[in-house]
Amino acid sequence: MRKMRIGMKIVLVLVLVLLPLTLFSLCHIPAFYVDSIKLTISDVGLDTPYALKRALAQYRGVSLFSFRLATVERELEELALVEQAEARRKLPSTLLVDVTLFSPPALVYAHDEDEVVTAVYVLQGTSLLALDKEDWTLFEGRTLKVEIPQGYASMMAKYGVDGSFQQVMDLVASLEGNTTLITRIKYDNNSSNSFGKMILELSALHAQIWLREPVSSAQVSQAIQMVQEDQKESLSFLSSHILRYDLYKGAMVRRK
């Protein structure tokens, strides 16, 4: 029994010594250096994000055994547009990566006092994640834009979104499919009420719908229809003057 215990200890020591040596050796065999990265992306109709290409490029030319697959997956899932990632090794020198991209219902545009865009964000959960500048145009013409002040965006990117902005983004997400006439959405939390001020611009109708409290997507759709009917009756859509409508839970008021 004693000899058996000694033998097991010797085997264990050998394993503990040989495993690191084996791994070290594998990491320095050129045949295992990554020369091919095969990326498969879920079909959301997007070009491959620049941030994703850059993140994967760092693994080209290094050994397949010099990094953990879990680390690759975690790094990719920290990117703003990556929802899920799975990495696999294919010997001798190929890294296989499957990625599911996140398709946001709206992008968040931060602008300065001159309304120059300084950053573009994606909202995932309660986190506001910045896009690489090279990826700003990926959703051009496909996704609604919510414009907010730069300082407000920076604060939420650092500490997470507040309840009012979450309500705004939930409303924007629910508008999907009913946004043909909405050309611009502006939001500012610098207001006397807790919700802030949300402005839906309807450029084709020369009109704006102002919200100072949460409403449903059905109310917004109904309000847009009412604006259309109002514009037809008054022919105000022929004027360059922007009409303002204030939408509340119980009614909509046209301002002079």
Side-chain angles (χ1 to χ4, degrees), residues 108-221:
V108 180
Y109 281 65
H111 59 75
D112 59 20
E113 294 180 354
D114 297 321
E115 296 203 348
V116 175
V117 176
T118 56
V120 178
Y121 298 89
V122 170
L123 178 64
Q124 284 208 44
T126 59
S127 299
L128 208 56
L129 306 177
L131 286 181
D132 280 66
K133 195 166 186 177
E134 291 83 356
D135 290 332
W136 286 9
T137 60
L138 280 178
F139 295 90
E140 197 70 39
R142 296 165 43 115
T143 306
L144 285 172
K145 300 177 182 179
V146 179
E147 301 177 16
I148 61 177
Q150 176 180 299
Y152 185 40
S154 299
M155 181 191 71
M156 290 194 294
K158 184 175 182 179
Y159 299 108
V161 300
D162 56 42
S164 296
F165 190 69
Q166 186 67 62
Q167 288 179 311
V168 168
M169 295 302 288
D170 287 344
L171 174 58
V172 172
S174 70
L175 292 175
E176 199 168 11
N178 297 293
T179 58
T180 307
L181 291 173
I182 301 175
T183 52
R184 189 181 187 191
I185 299 175
K186 299 176 68 176
Y187 177 74
D188 194 339
N189 71 324
N190 186 18
S191 176
S192 58
N193 63 41
S194 58
F195 178 74
K197 178 181 66 180
M198 183 178 181
I199 302 175
L200 308 179
E201 290 195 2
L202 313 174
S203 299
L205 300 175
H206 299 291
Q208 295 179 339
I209 298 177
W210 288 44
L211 288 71
R212 293 186 181 275
E213 62 182 6
V215 298
S216 68
S217 59
Q219 286 175 286
V220 173
S221 298

Side-chain angles (χ1 to χ4, degrees), residues 22-24 26-27 29 31-39 56 59 62-73 76 85-98:
T22 301
L23 182 60
F24 178 81
L26 289 173
C27 289
I29 297 176
F32 294 136
Y33 291 177
V34 177
D35 63 12
S36 176
I37 299 176
K38 293 186 178 180
L39 175 64
L56 289 174
Y59 295 103
V62 301
S63 174
L64 273 176
F65 298 97
S66 64
F67 53 82
R68 296 176 66 245
L69 296 178
T71 300
V72 178
E73 294 167 351
L76 296 182
E86 181 182 352
R88 306 185 307 278
R89 296 183 180 92
K90 182 179 179 181
L91 297 177
S93 57
T94 299
L95 177 63
L96 304 176
V97 180
D98 297 326

